[in-house]
Amino acid sequence: QVQLVESGGGLVQPGGSLRLSCAASGTIFSINYMGWYRQAPGKQRELVATITFSTGSTNYASAVKGRFTITRDNAKNTVYLQMNSLKPEDTAVYYCNAQARSYTYVEIWGQGTLVTVSS
């Protein structure tokens, strides 16, 4: 079994910063990619950023490009999302996602962590 554990959500003022982390655990032979998605009330879940573990290549939603940075620690099977210059419209539940090779190929989601940007 593979699971994701997220942390780092909370309340932050506009213009502030927050760092999310997501660690994958269990029987993992390799990770193809990990990423962050978010969902605000009344909206579809949307891509925030992804990173391919083998190459480190990244992909960002246009709304966060230049403000958010996704990184990974291969040894720890962990992905981070550094969020700077936060805006109220960034308020959402942020979900970690991973595609990995275990005994089978698996795609898993974290439980979600709430990020609230408000004064």
Side-chain angles (χ1 to χ4, degrees):
Q1 59 182 4
V2 180
Q3 60 183 351
L4 302 178
V5 179
E6 303 167 334
S7 63
L11 175 65
V12 65
Q13 295 182 0
S17 297
L18 209 59
R19 192 190 195 208
L20 307 182
S21 64
C22 175
S25 62
T27 302
I28 301 170
F29 298 131
S30 63
I31 294 176
N32 293 333
Y33 72 85
M34 294 183 73
W36 292 94
Y37 294 73
R38 67 185 183 185
Q39 187 168 25
K43 290 189 175 182
Q44 298 273 346
R45 186 174 297 187
E46 64 179 0
L47 168 74
V48 177
T50 61
I51 186 165
T52 300
F53 262 55
S54 61
T55 65
S57 63
T58 58
N59 185 42
Y60 295 92
S62 60
V64 307
K65 206 167 189 177
R67 299 188 296 119
F68 292 10
T69 303
I70 187 170
T71 58
R72 93 296 200 194
D73 186 329
N74 299 72
K76 296 180 179 180
N77 289 334
T78 298
V79 67
Y80 305 93
L81 185 68
Q82 178 66 47
M83 304 183 293
N84 298 325
S85 301
L86 283 162
K87 305 174 181 179
E89 50 263 44
D90 294 319
T91 296
V93 177
Y94 284 70
Y95 296 92
C96 182
N97 173 257
Q99 186 182 79
R101 174 75 184 277
S102 182
Y103 295 110
T104 63
Y105 285 99
V106 298
E107 183 172 354
I108 52 177
W109 292 87
Q111 78 283 359
T113 183
L114 177 63
V115 173
T116 302
V117 185
S118 176
S119 60

